[in-house]
Amino acid sequence: MIKRFTFNKFIVYLLLTIAAVISLLPLYWVFSTSLQLSSYQDEDMERPVSYVNSTPPKMYPVGITEYFEHWRKARNAEKEGDSEQAAYHREIMDEIVTDTFSGFRRLFTQNSMGAWFFNSVYISVVVTIGILLFDSMAGYVLAKKKFPGRDVIFWLIISTMMIPGQVTLVPMFIMVRELGLMDTHWALIFPDLSMVFGVFLMRQFMFSIPDELIEAAKIDGASEWKTYWKVVLPLARPGLAALGIFTFMNVWNSFLWPIIVLNTAELYTLPVGLKTLQDANLADFKLLMSGAAIAAIPMIIIFIIFQRHFVKGLTLGGVKE
Amino acid sequence: MEVSRGKNTSEWLKRTGKSIRKNYAAYLFLLPKLIFFTLFVAIPVVWAFVLSFQEYRVTESNTWIWLENYKEVFASAAFRQALLNTTIYTAVTVPFNVITALIAATLIHSLGRMAQNFFRAAFYLPTVTSMVIIAMVWRWMYNYEFGLFNYVIGWFGLEPVNWLGQTSTALWAIIMMQMLIPFGVGIILYMAAMSSISDTLYEAATIDGANAFQKWIRITIPMLTPTTIYLTLLSTIGSFQVFTQIILMTGGGPGYATETLVHLIYKTGFRDFEFGLAAAQSVVLFFIILVISVLQYRALNRNN
């Protein structure tokens, strides 16, 4: 392959590195603030100081350097045989650890972080499984079967992709209330199962499965369901992986609808919990950033593991067609 | 004629009926999705239009007031301000983000595989983190006393700015935030599209003596037009729905300085419980998005 562009490599790396730092700085700041010392009794100071609210801001969690400082002093004291001094520094080291993670502890003890996390996980998993099953079933017959009304149904579903979600907020609210689902997790799960993007994606994907394999299964006497379950689904695995990841991400991050239908703290998902946390602790940035960090970690891990599928899913659902 | 047409129709009906019976399995496969689609998409969409012509009452049946909601929407100063703010926000952020995504993708594309993967991941990571988290940390970075931003601008000898707290800067602070979050989807799609441009085009241009920049302008950008159209439409639609940043960072304020269309719909519907009015606002939002999408598609496609 020939070189298409010849830029000065150094300038390219410099520009991209600056951009990458700007891109990742907010996330770094979430983690840095969440671990920052917030009430720490320094040797020379009378009162506890907060390094969260300090001018100039501390660029990294100060506890890390403070911890090693006191560890070194404790070790020196031990060498000199001054056990009292050593115990003093050991105590401060414990305080530093406690203070560093105090934001996370307060989230779980004084707020319902554990419940929010659990709710987000299980709702995202249930919706993702439901979407993968229903959308692959629908996509399969829309791509591979000929039956009256097929094209009408497909275009009806696809045409609603153009309509912004906010249009249906008020009617959905009334409907959910009439069905008695207000302030329950069903109010999140059912509407999420109606998302149509996956039908479009799965139908596109199903076209690439050879008809011969489906025909062969039929000749072998497999029922429609068995053909779908044993032949079609395994072949659709790459498409399912991409759809699964995007569905999980959308549900995990969904915000507008959950803040409308959930009112009980124990039922909140993470984004809703974070909003109420901010409403109640506007200036406690250590606590807020600890919450943000907990909500961010799962998606970051999923992204790092499944990076390939993210790229695949984007290109699959994007430019083609 | 009439007779034969009637015969044809009845024959067609018979055949269709037979075909439906033969294909009952296909309908069963569609059924679960269709149930949820009907209940939570199809019915609510139609209902939204109906509601927008009504005054909603909780205890008694709704009254038809036809265009009154729409008159109120357009007469409201808050709505006009929200429309203006959303338009400014979109007009600044969308072109900027699409162009920077194109430049970033071009630069990344010129690197080796390892570096490509690294930068692609670095630019896509903020996209997978919830906007709730991003908005919360930016609110912290914009903090007047202890925020990172006022510290950084202090390096250049500038006075601290009350970014989100004053009318003159609040909207621009939200806009700047959106500009500094990389458009991860755009970078990935541009990179994918660049890899599929045929090398022969570039070889021919090299023989004709074109330099790198000329090749970028004359070959790369025109060949990327479908991606550019898709990304522009996608981010314009998303941009007109901006909400999370607003509710978490400014609540639409100070005054109406950062009020946006979706935040206004949210307030009208679920704080004031004016369902008919909120439905009318959302229908207007739908048509604005529709018209802009069509215009953009035409404008971008014509140049090709």
Side-chain angles (χ1 to χ4, degrees):
Chain A
M1 183 174 149
I2 61 147
K3 263 208 183 134
R4 292 171 176 193
F5 310 109
T6 41
F7 295 115
N8 186 327
K9 270 273 149 65
F10 175 75
I11 292 174
V12 172
Y13 272 105
L14 185 73
L15 284 175
L16 286 175
T17 307
I18 292 171
V21 167
I22 295 174
S23 161
L24 297 175
L25 182 72
L27 272 178
Y28 171 76
W29 208 233
V30 168
F31 289 104
S32 175
T33 308
S34 75
L35 296 170
Q36 193 60 272
L37 286 186
S38 64
S39 89
Y40 175 57
Q41 191 89 48
D42 210 349
E43 277 165 274
D44 336 318
M45 298 195 203
E46 305 274 294
R47 295 177 293 113
V49 290
S50 168
Y51 288 103
V52 178
N53 294 337
S54 69
T55 5
K58 297 287 179 219
M59 286 300 159
Y60 63 93
V62 179
I64 298 170
T65 46
E66 287 289 310
Y67 184 87
F68 283 107
E69 185 67 20
H70 285 285
W71 177 73
R72 198 177 51 79
K73 283 179 182 166
R75 212 186 42 176
N76 286 345
E78 272 162 12
K79 268 185 199 157
E80 291 161 14
D82 187 348
S83 63
E84 199 180 310
Q85 192 66 18
Y88 169 74
H89 287 295
R90 297 265 174 224
E91 201 178 303
I92 292 183
M93 282 161 64
D94 286 346
E95 270 173 36
I96 290 170
V97 173
T98 312
D99 191 87
T100 296
F101 296 102
S102 66
F104 296 101
R105 204 176 41 253
R106 281 156 62 210
L107 283 174
F108 285 95
T109 55
Q110 296 165 15
N111 298 281
S112 312
M113 188 44 122
W116 303 341
F117 194 90
F118 174 78
N119 293 339
S120 270
V121 170
Y122 105 82
I123 290 171
S124 306
V125 169
V126 167
V127 172
T128 304
I129 292 171
I131 285 278
L132 287 180
L133 184 67
F134 297 163
D135 290 8
S136 63
M137 284 161 65
Y140 163 56
V141 291
L142 287 174
K144 290 296 184 188
K145 301 278 169 189
K146 277 200 183 71
F147 53 91
R150 182 189 67 176
D151 296 338
V152 175
I153 292 172
F154 176 68
W155 285 110
L156 193 68
I157 290 177
I158 290 312
S159 62
T160 61
M161 277 171 76
M162 273 298 293
I163 300 171
Q166 293 82 16
V167 171
T168 57
L169 281 181
V170 170
M172 280 221 301
F173 181 87
I174 299 172
M175 182 172 283
V176 161
R177 200 173 54 186
E178 295 297 313
L179 293 172
L181 300 177
M182 201 47 85
D183 203 22
T184 68
H185 287 155
W186 298 117
L188 303 186
I189 294 170
F190 287 158
D192 276 348
L193 288 176
S194 70
M195 289 189 290
V196 294
F197 171 72
V199 176
F200 173 72
L201 188 86
M202 288 319 297
R203 175 176 169 273
Q204 288 300 103
F205 203 84
M206 294 295 180
F207 279 129
S208 67
I209 294 175
D211 285 332
E212 293 77 29
L213 289 173
I214 298 167
E215 288 301 318
K218 209 181 260 175
I219 291 165
D220 289 346
S223 65
E224 290 285 357
W225 177 257
K226 215 166 181 184
T227 310
Y228 157 78
W229 192 254
K230 298 264 179 192
V231 179
V232 175
L233 266 196
L235 289 169
R237 216 176 279 153
L240 290 170
L243 176 60
I245 284 169
F246 278 97
T247 306
F248 189 92
M249 181 170 87
N250 279 338
V251 179
W252 183 270
N253 291 340
S254 103
F255 180 62
L256 174 55
W257 179 243
I259 63 171
I260 291 172
V261 293
L262 295 180
N263 296 311
T264 309
E266 290 298 314
L267 294 177
Y268 290 164
T269 56
L270 273 170
V272 186
L274 287 179
K275 178 184 181 288
T276 57
L277 193 72
Q278 181 175 290
D279 291 343
N281 308 277
L282 276 171
D284 190 347
F285 287 106
K286 181 176 170 86
L287 184 73
L288 296 179
M289 291 304 109
S290 302
I294 290 178
I297 287 168
M299 278 320 302
I300 293 175
I301 293 173
I302 288 175
F303 173 67
I304 290 169
I305 298 174
F306 298 108
Q307 219 194 110
R308 211 163 38 87
H309 296 286
F310 274 90
V311 177
K312 172 122 190 147
L314 279 177
T315 41
L316 211 64
V319 262
K320 303 282 180 276
E321 186 123 336
Chain B
M1 283 304 271
E2 283 303 304
V3 176
S4 78
R5 185 186 286 171
K7 200 175 160 198
N8 280 343
T9 314
S10 77
E11 222 164 64
W12 179 83
L13 274 175
K14 225 187 234 166
R15 249 189 334 196
T16 311
K18 212 168 158 191
S19 175
I20 289 175
R21 274 195 299 281
K22 209 182 84 192
N23 287 297
Y24 75 98
Y27 297 101
L28 286 180
F29 271 82
L30 273 171
L31 193 63
K33 192 72 199 182
L34 279 183
I35 290 173
F36 287 110
F37 174 77
T38 310
L39 271 178
F40 295 105
V41 179
I43 294 176
V45 165
V46 178
W47 197 348
F49 282 86
V50 173
L51 265 172
S52 73
F53 298 114
Q54 292 182 328
E55 185 177 358
Y56 183 80
R57 304 267 176 80
V58 180
T59 44
E60 42 199 312
S61 59
N62 300 349
T63 43
W64 291 90
I65 53 168
W66 302 109
L67 292 176
E68 287 307 313
N69 285 329
Y70 289 95
K71 279 183 196 158
E72 200 177 332
V73 167
F74 289 109
S76 134
F79 183 83
R80 270 179 289 175
Q81 188 63 44
L83 181 59
L84 179 68
N85 289 342
T86 313
T87 308
I88 293 173
Y89 172 84
T90 306
V92 177
T93 60
V94 170
F96 181 86
N97 286 345
V98 171
I99 290 168
T100 47
L102 175 63
I103 294 169
T106 308
L107 294 180
I108 299 172
H109 198 72
S110 72
L111 302 175
R113 185 151 284 283
M114 284 278 283
Q116 275 193 17
N117 286 340
F118 171 77
F119 283 115
R120 192 167 53 191
F123 293 132
Y124 194 66
L125 200 54
T127 309
V128 303
T129 29
S130 161
M131 183 45 90
V132 173
I133 295 165
I134 309 234
M136 284 171 77
V137 68
W138 278 76
R139 185 177 147 267
W140 168 218
M141 295 196 300
Y142 277 140
N143 186 278
Y144 180 69
E145 269 184 287
F146 306 113
L148 200 54
F149 268 101
N150 279 341
Y151 172 61
V152 171
I153 66 167
W155 292 346
F156 304 99
L158 295 169
E159 288 295 308
V161 176
N162 189 1
W163 297 95
L164 297 170
Q166 54 186 18
T167 313
S168 55
T169 52
L171 181 63
W172 293 100
I174 303 272
I175 287 173
M176 183 167 84
M177 162 185 162
Q178 196 60 38
M179 287 161 77
L180 290 180
I181 302 171
F183 185 21
V185 177
I187 293 172
I188 287 185
L189 289 185
Y190 268 134
M191 283 178 67
M194 277 177 196
S195 331
S196 62
I197 301 175
S198 162
D199 277 334
T200 49
L201 287 171
Y202 291 100
E203 278 161 17
T206 312
I207 292 164
D208 291 344
N211 64 29
F213 185 70
Q214 285 169 326
K215 280 188 263 185
W216 191 63
I217 294 285
R218 305 253 168 207
I219 301 173
T220 312
I221 292 180
M223 294 298 285
L224 293 176
T225 304
T227 312
T228 305
I229 293 176
Y230 176 76
L231 290 175
T232 309
L233 288 174
L234 184 81
S235 54
T236 304
I237 292 170
S239 182
F240 260 89
Q241 301 177 28
V242 57
F243 168 76
T244 308
Q245 301 92 304
I246 305 300
I247 192 172
L248 287 170
M249 294 171 75
T250 63
Y256 289 118
T258 55
E259 192 62 85
T260 62
L261 292 170
V262 173
H263 187 255
L264 189 67
I265 293 171
Y266 170 79
K267 268 178 23 185
T268 312
F270 305 104
R271 199 194 62 189
D272 307 339
F273 292 100
E274 298 230 37
F275 285 163
L277 190 59
Q281 288 170 341
S282 61
V283 169
V284 173
L285 172 71
F286 166 56
F287 280 109
I288 290 171
I289 290 179
L290 188 70
V291 168
I292 290 178
S293 303
V294 170
L295 290 180
Q296 276 183 340
Y297 183 81
R298 287 218 182 137
L300 290 164
N301 220 14
R302 193 187 47 201
N303 295 337
N304 202 15

